[in-house]
Amino acid sequence: MPVALVIAPRFDNATEYSYDWSREAVEILKHGGYTVIDLGGGTVRRRDVEEKIRNADMVVFYNHGTEDALWG
């Protein structure tokens, strides 16, 4: 089964919106046959990402956004 790593820190208003969006992505991936490694909520540490990314077939990253958009 393919592995998807979802990275979605949540530490301020802008990341709160993006984190909420990431919850839908996690569910879609799970129903699409992926094993999901979910690094969502709170502060995401670099060492955790570096450790998990080695085994991921797909990486989904959320950071800042608003209710109707993700910021690039």
Side-chain angles (χ1 to χ4, degrees):
M1 189 175 294
V3 175
L5 172 61
V6 177
I7 306 163
R10 183 171 68 176
F11 55 87
D12 61 12
N13 286 340
T15 57
E16 182 74 35
Y17 286 116
S18 295
Y19 173 80
D20 289 345
W21 283 36
S22 75
R23 302 301 85 199
E24 183 176 350
V26 166
E27 290 306 311
I28 290 169
L29 289 164
K30 286 180 180 178
H31 292 296
Y34 283 85
T35 297
V36 177
I37 300 170
D38 187 4
L39 294 181
T43 302
V44 176
R45 297 181 309 215
R46 179 180 176 157
R47 72 174 180 218
D48 294 334
V49 172
E50 289 176 347
E51 176 185 313
K52 304 293 185 196
I53 203 167
R54 290 184 181 96
N55 298 319
D57 298 299
M58 175 191 301
V59 176
V60 181
F61 177 75
Y62 287 88
N63 198 357
H64 285 84
T66 60
E67 190 172 332
D68 62 349
L70 291 174
W71 297 347

